[in-house]
């Protein structure tokens, strides 16, 4: 079973539209990591959040960690075909460096 | 610099055989992790090395699985008497651990046990 719950499981968005993915834990997150994976490939590191309330942005992708450090969201603005893929949240939930992952959210961008 | 590399990219073997999967981490990274990813799931932790020693092997499913990192760089994951249920993508990640533990992943080895 996954210790991190991601929602939605999949989504289809029209090119140019925004989308949001959520990642929720019942435990405190000591570090929250967002990765992107294309089918059959490895994980590409996107962003890491450490502090409650932290927000980071890179190009059109913004990630936030809530104050309680139990939930994170990933928001993509004006989606493009290059944003298609599987987005995974990973977290250190035992403060021991190893990561637990959600099951992933599959994003499809329609032209 | 080069990222994490893994070989082979694909491995097909027969039930009962022995396999070795290799990981070459980013130069200078002292921490190395092995994860296993099944279809439709996120990666699951197997083992973590800090330097040459296995700091945490709590994720290894049974004693058929073993991993080494003799010189603190390259690591080999070894699976004895493979079973069909071992089929998965085996991912390796490395981290400098300083100041934060960003883990950078390799492309993975897809293992298929027939």
């Amino acid at each position: 079973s996954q210790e991190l719950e991601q929602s939605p499981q999949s989504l289809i968005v029209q090119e140019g539209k925004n989308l949001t993915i959520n990642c929720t834990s019942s435990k405190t997150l000591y570090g929250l990591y967002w990765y992107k994976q294309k089918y059959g490939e490895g994980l590409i590191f996107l962003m890491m959040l450490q502090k409650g309330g932290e927000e980071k942005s890179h190009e059109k992708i913004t990630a936030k960690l809530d104050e309680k450090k139990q939930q994170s969201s990933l928001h993509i603005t004006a989606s493009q075909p290059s944003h298609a893929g599987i987005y995974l949240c990973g977290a250190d939930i035992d403060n021991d460096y190893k990561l637990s992952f959600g099951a992933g959210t599959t994003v499809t961008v329609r032209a | 610099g080069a990222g994490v590399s893994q070989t082979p990219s694909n491995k097909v073997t027969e039930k009962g055989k022995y396999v070795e999967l290799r990981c070459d981490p980013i130069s200078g990274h002292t921490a190395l992790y092995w994860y296993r990813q099944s279809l439709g799931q996120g990666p699951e932790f197997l083992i973590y090395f800090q330097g040459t020693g296995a700091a945490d092997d709590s994720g290894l499913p049974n004693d058929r699985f073993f991993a080494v990192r003799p010189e603190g760089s390259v690591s080999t994951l070894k699976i004895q008497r493979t079973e069909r249920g071992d089929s998965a993508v085996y991912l390796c990640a490395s981290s400098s651990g300083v100041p934060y533990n960003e883990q950078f992943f390799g492309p993975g080895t897809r293992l298929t046990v027939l």
Side-chain angles (χ1 to χ4, degrees):
Chain A
S1 64
Q2 307 285 160
E3 294 179 283
L4 295 178
E5 294 292 330
Q6 277 188 245
S7 62
Q9 185 176 18
S10 64
L11 64 93
I12 301 171
V13 63
Q14 197 71 26
E15 184 177 355
K17 298 296 185 184
N18 303 338
L19 67 96
T20 300
I21 300 167
N22 293 301
C23 177
T24 304
S25 170
S26 58
K27 298 181 179 181
T28 298
L29 305 173
Y30 291 95
L32 188 288
Y33 303 77
W34 283 101
Y35 291 89
K36 181 184 175 185
Q37 185 176 34
K38 293 200 170 180
Y39 181 76
E41 299 181 9
L43 279 64
I44 300 168
F45 174 78
L46 295 177
M47 272 176 275
M48 185 201 74
L49 303 167
Q50 198 90 2
K51 301 174 184 175
E54 188 174 8
E55 179 175 323
K56 288 186 177 178
S57 292
H58 178 68
E59 298 182 341
K60 295 186 178 181
I61 300 176
T62 300
K64 301 178 184 179
L65 181 62
D66 75 346
E67 289 288 344
K68 291 185 178 179
K69 293 173 61 175
Q70 288 187 293
Q71 185 170 357
S72 178
S73 62
L74 186 81
H75 183 78
I76 299 177
T77 304
S79 59
Q80 300 170 352
S82 61
H83 289 128
I86 301 169
Y87 290 82
L88 290 155
C89 65
D92 179 351
I93 59 175
D94 294 319
N95 201 19
D96 64 356
Y97 292 136
K98 64 178 183 278
L99 299 183
S100 297
F101 283 88
T105 296
T106 302
V107 171
T108 302
V109 180
R110 290 268 167 85
Chain B
V4 178
S5 62
Q6 292 186 246
T7 54
S9 55
N10 280 285
K11 177 70 177 178
V12 180
T13 191
E14 293 180 341
K15 180 175 178 295
K17 299 290 188 182
Y18 168 83
V19 296
E20 289 189 352
L21 312 179
R22 175 187 166 109
C23 172
D24 207 332
I26 293 172
S27 179
H29 279 191
T30 57
L32 185 146
Y33 305 79
W34 283 98
Y35 293 85
R36 179 168 73 172
Q37 186 176 26
S38 300
L39 192 63
Q41 299 295 317
E44 292 183 314
F45 169 79
L46 294 176
I47 186 169
Y48 156 51
F49 287 90
Q50 184 60 252
T52 60
D56 184 344
D57 65 357
S58 62
L60 295 178
N62 52 59
D63 62 6
R64 294 187 297 105
F65 289 74
F66 189 71
V68 295
R69 195 186 184 198
E71 298 178 357
S73 178
V74 171
S75 176
T76 304
L77 178 66
K78 308 180 181 192
I79 310 175
Q80 297 178 322
R81 304 183 304 280
T82 52
E83 300 178 356
R84 292 193 179 88
D86 299 335
S87 297
V89 176
Y90 289 81
L91 295 163
C92 175
S94 72
S95 168
S96 68
V98 177
Y100 300 115
N101 189 38
E102 292 117 318
Q103 295 182 24
F104 296 92
F105 282 77
T109 293
R110 183 175 299 277
L111 175 66
T112 303
V113 182
L114 301 177

